[in-house]
Amino acid sequence: MLDMVLHIVQPVEVDDAPATDLLEKFDMLMRRLQHEPYWRPTVEELARLTAISPSHFMRTFRQYTGFSPMAYLERQRIKQASDLLMNTSRSVLEISTALGYASSQHFATAFKRVTGMTPLAWRKSSR
């Protein structure tokens, strides 16, 4: 009886992993984002590039990465920014422009939201 009740209340595990060809398209998009950090695609554009609907794209992308597409894009840009801050002497303005941010202030806000530090504080702490 207990097994029957547990079967009813426990979620059924379903293998709903994205198809291999879709994962390959996601990987291609991720590589493009690494090489073109200034690229600002919409969810609709990303879905079109993977040949699926925007809602399906959102759901499967989150399942694959753990993040919404826009959160993933921002985290990738911040990761690149943190590397540039640590390994170059480029200014915050130069880095924010190279990564496609509209302003250094917008970049600093996004950077702090993800890392908990301002870009300059990050640079100082990494040295």
Side-chain angles (χ1 to χ4, degrees):
M1 183 70 157
L2 180 59
D3 286 336
M4 187 186 309
V5 171
L6 287 176
H7 180 72
I8 293 170
V9 297
Q10 290 180 337
V12 176
E13 292 186 26
V14 178
D15 183 20
D16 58 344
T20 303
D21 63 331
L22 182 56
L23 297 180
E24 290 170 359
K25 290 176 184 178
F26 284 167
D27 289 339
M28 180 265 316
L29 286 175
M30 290 173 192
R31 283 190 302 276
R32 182 174 176 189
L33 290 167
Q34 288 174 342
H35 296 297
E36 300 176 37
Y38 47 83
W39 182 40
R40 298 286 191 176
T42 63
V43 170
E44 289 75 18
E45 183 178 359
L46 293 170
R48 193 171 44 255
L49 289 169
T50 56
I52 58 176
S53 72
S55 60
H56 185 58
F57 179 85
M58 293 278 292
R59 185 175 55 258
T60 54
F61 190 88
R62 181 182 294 274
Q63 179 183 4
Y64 185 55
T65 65
F67 297 100
S68 70
M70 296 307 120
Y72 179 85
L73 296 173
E74 183 154 291
R75 287 180 176 278
Q76 289 303 305
R77 284 190 190 92
I78 298 304
K79 181 178 183 277
Q80 289 184 10
S82 64
D83 290 342
L84 290 169
L85 288 163
M86 286 189 311
N87 300 313
T88 72
S89 60
R90 294 171 73 178
S91 72
V92 171
L93 179 60
E94 289 173 316
I95 292 170
S96 67
T97 302
L99 296 175
Y101 285 92
S103 70
S104 59
Q105 185 174 8
H106 179 232
F107 164 68
T109 301
F111 193 91
K112 188 170 185 176
R113 182 174 47 247
V114 173
T115 66
M117 302 173 80
T118 66
L120 291 178
W122 178 272
R123 176 173 269 163
K124 287 178 186 176
S125 72
S126 66
R127 294 194 172 165

